Amino acid sequence: MDSPCPDTSWPSTIIKSFDRSFNIRTEERNSTDTLDFLKDRNSSVCSSRNIPLPPQQPSKVRPKMETHRGITDFRCVPKETKDTWDKLFKQGYGADVHIIAGDGSIIAAHYSFLSIASPVLGNFLQQSKVMNGIRCIKISGVPYDALRTFIRFLYSSCSYEEEEMKKFVLHLLVLSHSYVVPSLKRVCTQLLEHDWLTKENVVDVLQLAMKCDAPRLALICMHMVVRDFKCISSTEGWKIMRRANPALEQQLLESLVEADSRKQERSEKLEEKRVYLQLHEAMEALLHICRDGCKTIGPRDKALKGSQDACSFPACKGLEILIRHFSSCITRVPGGCVHCKRMWQLLELHSRMCNEPNYCNVPLCRHFKEKMQRDSKKEQVKWKLLVNKVQMAKIALRLFSSQRSSF
């Protein structure tokens, strides 16, 4: 990848000053309490002041509430209460409502329970005719067992058979939306999100979720379609949806294009951050070499460290190779050597980031400071933007390192 550093002219009269700045050695080898008296019944403190003993701490064990992949199963409801609900529903004692299924089967129920759990269903029942004290209403379009499970749920949302719910989850989702039972819709969407979605049925569930006003379920389905579009677009559900609902197909295709664009944008931003981080590491390594010296390269007034310890600067090895090439290259003219051009850019970048040019050990730092004053406004803006990006990468690296150390 090309360097993000802006291009710069190469001064030819100061190359010798750069060469005199370093002491380069030939490399030889290749470079990870509890208060006890409160518990004592015979304590003088307790007896003299008639202070009663403190009660025992409440148990930290809570009523058992088993969960099934995010779906709460209310085992804390007493068994006797659930048995009462079941008996009241199954025996139909005192029932004043008859729910007639599509096949003509009758489910006996109680108006008070149904109207409280579903005001919409209660309104329908209130408008229905009363014959011999019984209100009758017909609900067709769903199987008898699904309708029975729905009515049983209205008696208590804390007590239901999960297997029955899974078996008729799509019918129950439609019923929960039609008769406005939010608790049932919540259970149905959770079951569909965690246990039911497959590549073959996700398109059908998506259309149902959009019709039943289940935005979270619809969003999960759309993400699943976008994530595995190639496989899902070949299913029978997709082909039927294309003919019946072309607008939804267009919406899914637009979501796919948008997801690809976001993915490419994230990839480009990550690559950009990686380049700026590399430039920051190069600046740190350049200061390290010019100020302290490393194994086989450093300032002339410093003793070289040899190969005693491993260098802690990641970019040191690569920068050392670049400096060695720059010192010995015979081409060093504008446009003549790509590696030398990279070295000039790194030196100028350091100069624009350096706050102490008069005391800086990096070669040509003062020269580039003087050059900056002659740059055009466009060139200054370009370099200022690059300096800001590198400094932001430096801050981000420090924040990331501090967060890792805190864990």
Side-chain angles (χ1 to χ4, degrees):
M1 181 175 179
D2 294 338
S3 170
C5 296
D7 199 359
T8 183
S9 59
W10 296 3
S12 57
T13 58
I14 53 170
I15 294 176
K16 293 182 180 180
S17 65
F18 177 88
D19 295 338
R20 291 195 299 269
S21 300
F22 290 102
N23 175 19
I24 302 176
R25 178 188 300 173
T26 304
E27 233 179 340
E28 297 180 355
R29 61 181 66 181
N30 295 331
S31 38
T32 338
D33 290 69
T34 335
L35 297 177
D36 294 333
F37 69 87
L38 289 177
K39 298 179 181 179
D40 187 2
R41 296 180 180 272
N42 298 321
S43 171
S44 60
V45 178
C46 292
S47 58
S48 62
R49 300 185 182 181
N50 296 323
I51 299 176
L53 291 173
Q56 293 184 353
Q57 291 185 353
S59 174
K60 294 184 179 180
V61 180
R62 297 181 179 180
K64 186 177 181 182
M65 297 178 65
E66 298 179 0
T67 58
H68 179 67
R69 294 188 183 180
I71 303 170
T72 305
D73 190 5
F74 292 85
R75 306 299 185 190
C76 57
V77 178
K79 183 178 182 302
E80 294 78 7
T81 304
K82 293 194 294 182
D83 290 343
T84 302
W85 291 331
D86 286 334
K87 187 181 295 186
L88 183 63
F89 172 70
K90 292 177 180 178
Q91 295 182 359
Y93 178 78
D96 54 359
V97 171
H98 282 175
I99 308 294
I100 306 172
D103 61 358
S105 303
I106 296 176
I107 303 173
H110 301 80
Y111 173 77
S112 56
F113 278 88
L114 302 184
S115 58
I116 292 173
S118 173
V120 174
L121 181 56
N123 187 39
F124 282 128
L125 289 171
Q126 190 174 14
Q127 297 175 12
S128 64
K129 294 182 179 180
V130 181
M131 299 178 61
N132 299 324
I134 303 294
R135 297 177 183 271
C136 297
I137 185 173
K138 184 174 183 179
I139 300 178
S140 57
V142 294
Y144 167 79
D145 290 335
L147 183 58
R148 184 176 178 83
T149 303
F150 170 68
I151 301 300
R152 174 63 187 86
F153 187 92
L154 297 181
Y155 276 71
S156 173
S157 61
C158 298
S159 173
Y160 55 84
E161 294 296 331
E162 189 170 319
E163 292 303 320
E164 291 293 316
M165 298 291 291
K166 289 181 179 179
K167 185 177 179 180
F168 302 109
V169 62
L170 294 180
H171 301 94
L172 293 173
L173 178 61
V174 175
L175 289 169
S176 69
H177 176 70
S178 301
Y179 296 101
V180 192
V181 187
S183 57
L184 178 58
K185 180 182 286 189
R186 186 162 52 249
V187 172
C188 291
T189 53
Q190 288 176 340
L191 285 170
L192 288 168
E193 290 170 11
H194 296 95
D195 292 314
W196 218 81
L197 286 179
T198 64
K199 296 175 183 178
E200 287 71 25
N201 66 23
V202 64
V203 176
D204 298 329
V205 176
L206 171 60
Q207 295 179 86
L208 186 62
M210 296 178 72
K211 290 183 179 296
C212 292
D213 192 22
R216 174 184 165 85
L217 178 60
L219 184 62
I220 291 175
C221 292
M222 291 188 72
H223 285 174
M224 187 173 177
V225 172
V226 170
R227 189 169 57 247
D228 199 0
F229 178 78
K230 185 176 181 180
C231 182
I232 293 175
S233 61
S234 62
T235 61
E236 192 66 26
W238 178 272
K239 295 174 183 177
I240 296 174
M241 181 270 294
R242 289 186 62 185
R243 295 192 297 268
N245 195 350
L248 178 58
E249 180 195 14
Q250 181 65 26
Q251 183 180 352
L252 289 171
L253 292 176
E254 290 175 359
S255 299
L256 178 65
V257 173
E258 185 180 352
D260 288 341
S261 300
R262 287 198 302 266
K263 184 178 179 181
Q264 184 177 357
E265 185 179 349
R266 284 196 300 268
S267 178
E268 291 174 355
K269 286 184 177 180
L270 287 174
E271 179 64 19
E272 182 181 341
K273 289 181 180 179
R274 186 184 67 83
V275 172
Y276 291 133
L277 185 59
Q278 288 178 344
L279 285 174
H280 161 65
E281 292 174 348
M283 294 298 99
E284 294 288 319
L286 183 61
L287 278 175
H288 159 66
I289 291 174
C290 298
R291 182 178 56 199
D292 307 320
C294 196
K295 297 179 182 180
T296 59
I297 188 171
R300 292 190 176 275
D301 58 343
K302 294 277 186 178
L304 298 179
K305 298 179 180 180
S307 56
Q308 299 173 358
D309 300 321
C311 183
S312 60
F313 291 87
C316 186
K317 184 66 177 178
L319 191 60
E320 178 183 343
I321 295 173
L322 193 60
I323 292 175
R324 288 178 182 276
H325 166 81
F326 190 79
S327 299
S328 59
C329 182
I330 59 176
T331 306
R332 287 189 293 188
V333 292
C337 178
V338 176
H339 303 295
C340 292
K341 178 181 178 180
R342 179 67 58 84
M343 191 69 220
W344 283 118
Q345 291 171 338
L346 290 176
L347 290 171
E348 183 166 358
L349 177 60
H350 160 78
S351 177
R352 292 178 182 270
M353 297 178 66
C354 183
N355 297 322
E356 298 179 342
N358 296 327
Y359 305 98
C360 184
N361 294 328
V362 177
L364 312 181
C365 185
R366 292 185 60 185
H367 162 75
F368 283 111
K369 285 289 186 184
E370 295 172 359
K371 176 183 173 299
M372 287 167 53
Q373 300 175 2
R374 302 189 299 270
D375 285 344
S376 64
K377 188 173 182 180
K378 182 178 180 180
E379 194 75 11
Q380 290 177 2
V381 171
K382 191 189 302 182
W383 277 101
K384 185 176 180 180
L385 180 61
L386 177 60
V387 169
N388 289 339
K389 294 284 188 180
V390 175
Q391 289 175 340
M392 286 174 63
K394 175 183 178 180
I395 294 172
L397 180 63
R398 287 181 176 177
L399 287 174
F400 179 72
S401 301
S402 62
Q403 288 176 356
R404 290 190 63 181
S405 60
S406 63
F407 290 110

